[in-house]
Amino acid sequence: MKAEETNTMARAGKVNWALFNPKTYATILYLLLSLPLGIVYLTIAITGLALSIGLTPVFIGIPLFFGVAKMLNGIVKFEQSLIRHILGLPTPPASAPSQPQTEAGQNWLQRMVKGFDGELFFRNLMLVFLRFVTGIVFFAVMVTAISLGLGFIALPVVHIILMNEIQVDILENNLFQYFHIDWSYNQQYLLYVGFGLVLFLIALRVVNGLMQVQRRIMYVDESYLQPSPEPVEAQFFAPVQPSYGEFEDNKPAQEKAWLA
């Protein structure tokens, strides 16, 4: 059952017909903003951790550390929700609400310490660092791939403008002359535009593939695979089974009553 849910979520959010799909262009905008956002996230994480460690002797660093942990968790959840919104994934089920009676009589520091998860903190810190790295790498790959496609598509227009304005022939020394292929400018234009369209379509598929990689890195599908919380009514009205010890203790009394 869990394998079927995993395959269903893997198929969800995939982009078909990348050229006419708005998800593709939303992904391009997301990857363009990934570089500055990654820098901002990493700066917040490093600055917050450095201040919390430096201010620990004056006690301010301890609550600041827990505040940084909450902030990192909020950054990761924001990135996950942003990816879900771009890919059109459904909203994950809400987690089970915490019991307010268990936190009664505790001060704010005890609640922060009790709510701190060390494994989750280190995972969020690594995800923020990976978000910075992938922001740089994905930005460079996307810009290079799209620029190659658009560059070949716009080459005929650039060549005509340069020929008419400053009489510079950028196609004077090209591969066609090295192979002794006598093609006119119009034939070369068609070839360059066709090659640019192919490169542009490949670049769009690369962009969507980068988004799927980012989706897996940020654990977007993790919330869908978690078991749903048990309803509150089921917790209150669940039948209470007697323990084995209670049953053994009551057995002699029942036998005495029967013999009597």
Side-chain angles (χ1 to χ4, degrees), residues 203-247:
L204 295 183
R205 300 303 300 179
V206 169
V207 167
N208 292 319
L210 294 177
M211 176 56 87
Q212 296 299 325
V213 173
Q214 187 73 15
R215 169 185 172 183
R216 290 175 174 83
I217 290 176
M218 297 302 296
Y219 293 97
V220 174
D221 297 336
E222 183 184 31
S223 56
Y224 299 103
L225 303 178
Q226 294 178 353
S228 59
E230 186 180 357
V232 180
E233 293 80 0
Q235 297 176 3
F236 282 109
F237 298 102
V240 178
Q241 298 293 338
S243 61
Y244 181 76
E246 294 177 355
F247 181 76

Side-chain angles (χ1 to χ4, degrees), residues 122-135:
F122 285 109
R123 194 198 74 167
N124 291 336
L125 184 61
M126 292 303 300
L127 288 181
V128 169
F129 179 74
L130 285 175
R131 181 67 177 78
F132 170 73
V133 176
T134 57

Side-chain angles (χ1 to χ4, degrees), residues 152 155-156 159 169-195:
F152 278 101
L155 182 60
H159 180 258
D169 188 3
I170 59 176
L171 299 179
E172 183 178 2
N173 297 320
N174 50 38
L175 293 176
F176 296 99
Q177 292 187 357
Y178 287 107
F179 292 101
H180 303 286
I181 300 175
D182 190 12
W183 277 17
S184 63
Y185 284 144
N186 292 332
Q187 292 174 328
Q188 295 183 34
Y189 292 163
L190 291 175
L191 178 63
Y192 289 136
V193 170
F195 186 65

Side-chain angles (χ1 to χ4, degrees), residues 14-212:
K14 292 294 183 66
V15 178
N16 299 319
W17 298 96
L19 183 61
F20 304 103
N21 198 319
K23 294 180 183 179
T24 301
Y25 303 99
T27 300
I28 292 176
L29 181 60
Y30 171 80
L31 294 179
L32 285 175
L33 296 176
S34 63
L35 180 59
L37 283 178
I39 295 174
V40 171
Y41 294 158
L42 188 65
T43 303
I44 292 175
I46 292 178
T47 304
L49 289 177
L51 287 176
S52 62
I53 294 173
L55 296 176
T56 299
V58 293
F59 189 72
I60 302 177
I62 298 176
L64 182 60
F65 173 78
F66 292 113
V68 172
K70 287 285 187 182
M71 188 178 300
L72 293 179
N73 191 31
I75 289 174
V76 172
K77 289 185 177 180
F78 170 73
E79 281 292 318
Q80 291 175 344
S81 63
L82 192 60
I83 295 174
R84 280 194 294 266
H85 179 71
I86 291 174
L87 296 179
L89 296 172
T91 304
S95 58
S98 58
Q99 299 296 332
Q101 60 270 18
T102 59
E103 297 181 358
Q106 297 180 354
N107 56 23
W108 59 271
L109 183 59
Q110 291 176 340
R111 291 195 297 268
M112 292 179 70
V113 172
K114 187 176 181 180
F116 177 75
D117 189 350
E119 183 179 354
L120 182 64
F121 168 73
F122 285 109
R123 194 198 74 167
N124 291 336
L125 184 61
M126 292 303 300
L127 288 181
V128 169
F129 179 74
L130 285 175
R131 181 67 177 78
F132 170 73
V133 176
T134 57
I136 297 175
V137 175
F138 291 176
F139 179 85
V141 172
M142 182 195 66
V143 170
T144 303
I146 294 180
S147 298
L148 283 175
L150 294 179
F152 278 101
I153 294 173
L155 182 60
V157 178
V158 175
H159 180 258
I160 292 172
I161 292 175
L162 292 178
M163 286 287 291
N164 294 333
E165 296 296 330
I166 57 177
Q167 287 77 42
V168 174
D169 188 3
I170 59 176
L171 299 179
E172 183 178 2
N173 297 320
N174 50 38
L175 293 176
F176 296 99
Q177 292 187 357
Y178 287 107
F179 292 101
H180 303 286
I181 300 175
D182 190 12
W183 277 17
S184 63
Y185 284 144
N186 292 332
Q187 292 174 328
Q188 295 183 34
Y189 292 163
L190 291 175
L191 178 63
Y192 289 136
V193 170
F195 186 65
L197 286 174
V198 172
L199 287 180
F200 184 70
L201 293 176
I202 294 174
L204 295 183
R205 300 303 300 179
V206 169
V207 167
N208 292 319
L210 294 177
M211 176 56 87
Q212 296 299 325

